[in-house]
Amino acid sequence: MENDTFYSNYNEAKQRLIIRLIGLADTEYLRRVPFSRAFADLAAVPCLFRENERGRAMGHPVSLLQMAQWGMEPQRLLQDAVENMWKILPPRLFSMERLMESSLRGSEKDVIRRMLKKQYTQTQEEVLDELACVLTRKIGQKRREESGLKPMWVLGNERWLFGAASLLYPGILQEISRKLKSGFYILPSSVHEVILLPQGGTETKERLQELVNSANQKMKDKSGFLSEHVYYYDRNNMEIQTL
C-alpha cells in the first residue's frame, strides 16, 4: 500500500508516471481523467505504474483531483510521463516471425505445441517442441507468401504494459523507419502493443483494415482495445497520419 506522501508529493509521484493511449472517441473515460492529444484520434492519459503482490505490472490513471493537488497541467504530466516511461518501460521491437516462434504463452508456437501435446500424450517434450517450431515456420512462410505483405514487427515494451505508448518516445519512429528503410503502417493490436508493417508490399487500405478488424474481434480482454483505425508513419514529414 502506497503512503500518502506518494500521492501528495509530485516529485515522488512523477517517478512512476507512465502513459496509456486511448481513443479520443471514448469521451466517458476521458471525462474522468487528465489527458493530452497524442496523435491522430488518440489521446495520452498519464497513469501511475505499480506492481501487485505477484509482480505483475499495472497502471492506474491519474485522477483529476490528484492533478489539481499537484498543481499540474495535462501537457506537463505527459512530458514527464514520456521521459519517465522510457526508463521504467524501455521500448522493444520484435520480429513478428520470432515472436510467433517464441515460447511465450499465446504465441503461435505455444498454441500448436499444446495441440500436439493433447494428441501425442506419450511423446517427449523436446520432440513436441521441435515439431511445433517446424510447423510454426511452415505456417508463417505460407501465410507470408499468400498475403504478399512484407514481414511485420511488433512494438511494445519489456513488461507488455501500455506498450502502444512507445510510439510517443522521442526519436523512436525515425529509428524504426531507418531500420525498416521505409515508411510503415501502424496496426493497433491493443493498448499494450502495435503491429508495424513496412510499406512496399501488396498492401491495400482494405486489406490493412481487415487485419485491424480481425485483431479487435479476437481480443479477449476488451479493456485492451485501442483503435479501429489504421495509421501510417510518413518518414519524410516525420508524422503519423490516419490512413
Side-chain angles (χ1 to χ4, degrees), residues 201-231:
T202 59
E203 69 275 352
T204 64
K205 181 177 180 180
E206 292 72 24
R207 175 60 176 145
L208 297 177
Q209 191 62 60
E210 287 176 6
L211 292 174
V212 172
N213 293 343
S214 176
N216 286 335
Q217 289 170 4
K218 294 177 181 177
M219 186 181 298
K220 295 181 180 179
D221 182 4
K222 298 303 180 182
S223 66
F225 174 81
L226 178 57
S227 171
E228 60 184 12
H229 298 123
V230 180
Y231 306 95

Side-chain angles (χ1 to χ4, degrees), residues 82-129:
V82 168
E83 180 179 346
N84 193 58
M85 190 173 183
W86 181 286
K87 301 172 185 175
I88 297 179
L89 302 170
R92 290 291 180 266
L93 185 65
F94 304 90
S95 159
M96 176 69 83
E97 184 175 299
R98 290 289 182 86
L99 202 57
M100 289 297 96
E101 293 177 9
S102 75
S103 298
L104 290 173
R105 182 166 180 80
S107 70
E108 197 160 42
K109 175 190 168 185
D110 174 63
V111 173
I112 292 174
R113 190 181 186 285
R114 283 188 278 123
M115 291 174 62
L116 290 171
K117 190 172 183 178
K118 286 182 180 179
Q119 187 171 357
Y120 304 103
T121 56
Q122 303 303 315
T123 306
Q124 293 182 348
E125 296 289 336
E126 295 79 3
V127 176
L128 291 175
D129 194 67

